[in-house]
């Protein structure tokens, strides 16, 4: 399938997207000297688990998740994590970290024999969970965002896209079995 860019969004710029919500996370740092991102990592997230909508993902990535709002939040409220961007169920994109910075999304990880994937990757979260299919709007936005990133970072390519489960096997399962890799990769090649 071919996914045309949605011209009305005009999102493509180098490190910070235009036309999307920006919610700056404090959970990032500089990349190592002379390191450009060359890996794209796809994740899923829902807070509370299996529930969509709300402000809790933004709160988690902003270090202001209230542990009293849900029992699960007591387990994760002190985490210092982020992603470069989140794609909501309706395809809306929220950016948290400029793409030239290192978002704290991958944790203990390795790709192609190289550890510390945060150093050389861009992390994209899809609002979802392992057991639910992702929406058409999410695939459209993910393809658009991926093409945008490819156009501004020649070090990124379709050959170096991985799921969190691939870079942290045994520890992570996302984006999960419901993510349609063929649909996505076929659209960005």
């Amino acid at each position: 399938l071919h996914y045309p860019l949605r011209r009305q969004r005009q999102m493509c710029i180098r490190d910070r997207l235009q036309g999307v919500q920006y919610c700056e996370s404090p959970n990032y740092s500089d990349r190592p000297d002379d390191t450009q991102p060359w890996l794209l990592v796809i994740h899923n997230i829902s807070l509370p688990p299996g529930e969509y909508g709300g402000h809790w993902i933004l709160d988690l990535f902003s270090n202001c998740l209230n542990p009293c709002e849900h029992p699960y939040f007591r387990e994760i409220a002190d985490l210092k994590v982020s992603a470069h961007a989140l794609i909501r169920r309706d395809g809306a994109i929220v950016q948290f970290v400029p793409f030239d910075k290192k978002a704290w999304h991958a944790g203990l990880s390795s790709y192609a024999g190289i550890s510390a994937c945060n150093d050389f990757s861009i992390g994209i979260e899809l609002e979802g969970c392992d057991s639910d299919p992702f929406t058409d709007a999410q695939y459209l936005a993910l393809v658009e965002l991926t093409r945008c990133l490819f156009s501004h970072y020649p070090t990124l390519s379709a050959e170096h896209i991985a799921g969190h489960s691939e870079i942290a096997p045994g520890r992570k399962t996302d984006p999960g079995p419901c993510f349609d890799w063929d649909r996505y990769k076929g659209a960005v090649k």
Side-chain angles (χ1 to χ4, degrees):
L1 293 173
H2 176 69
Y3 294 92
L5 289 176
R6 287 185 271 168
R7 297 187 197 288
Q8 71 273 15
R9 187 167 314 185
Q10 301 288 319
M11 71 161 44
C12 289
I13 63 168
R14 185 163 174 86
D15 299 319
R16 190 163 160 188
L17 301 172
Q18 292 180 343
V20 305
Q21 180 181 358
Y22 191 79
C23 179
E24 185 174 6
S25 173
N27 303 325
Y28 72 91
S29 50
D30 289 331
R31 294 187 188 276
D33 289 343
D34 301 320
T35 301
Q36 290 292 312
W38 57 270
L39 172 66
L40 189 59
V41 180
I42 309 300
H43 303 261
N44 76 39
I45 187 170
S46 59
L47 290 178
E51 295 183 25
Y52 307 130
H55 55 88
W56 296 289
I57 297 169
L58 280 65
D59 290 352
L60 175 66
F61 290 169
S62 301
N63 298 339
C64 58
L65 186 66
N66 183 342
C68 298
E69 289 187 7
H70 189 277
Y72 178 69
F73 297 169
R74 286 193 278 281
E75 299 174 32
I76 64 169
D78 292 329
L79 293 178
K80 304 295 185 222
V81 295
S82 62
H84 289 91
L86 165 71
I87 301 176
R88 296 275 199 182
R89 302 295 287 178
D90 65 359
I93 297 174
V94 181
Q95 186 173 1
F96 297 95
V97 174
F99 297 115
D100 64 331
K101 301 297 182 185
K102 176 171 66 171
W104 302 345
H105 64 95
L108 184 62
S109 56
S110 176
Y111 180 80
I114 304 169
S115 61
C117 292
N118 285 339
D119 287 348
F120 54 87
S121 67
I122 290 176
I124 307 298
E125 294 275 4
L126 298 172
E127 186 176 30
C129 63
D130 289 3
S131 59
D132 289 339
F134 296 93
T135 68
D136 289 341
Q138 286 179 296
Y139 284 107
L140 287 169
L142 180 60
V143 167
E144 181 181 13
L145 177 54
T146 301
R147 289 178 179 171
C148 173
L149 291 169
F150 285 0
S151 73
H152 289 284
Y153 290 97
T155 49
L156 289 170
S157 71
E159 290 76 40
H160 296 292
I161 300 174
H164 200 186
S165 58
E166 294 173 66
I167 65 168
R171 188 174 69 81
K172 294 295 181 177
T173 59
D174 57 313
C178 290
F179 184 73
D180 190 339
W181 283 105
D182 290 338
R183 177 180 181 177
Y184 169 53
K185 286 192 172 184
V188 297
K189 286 187 177 184

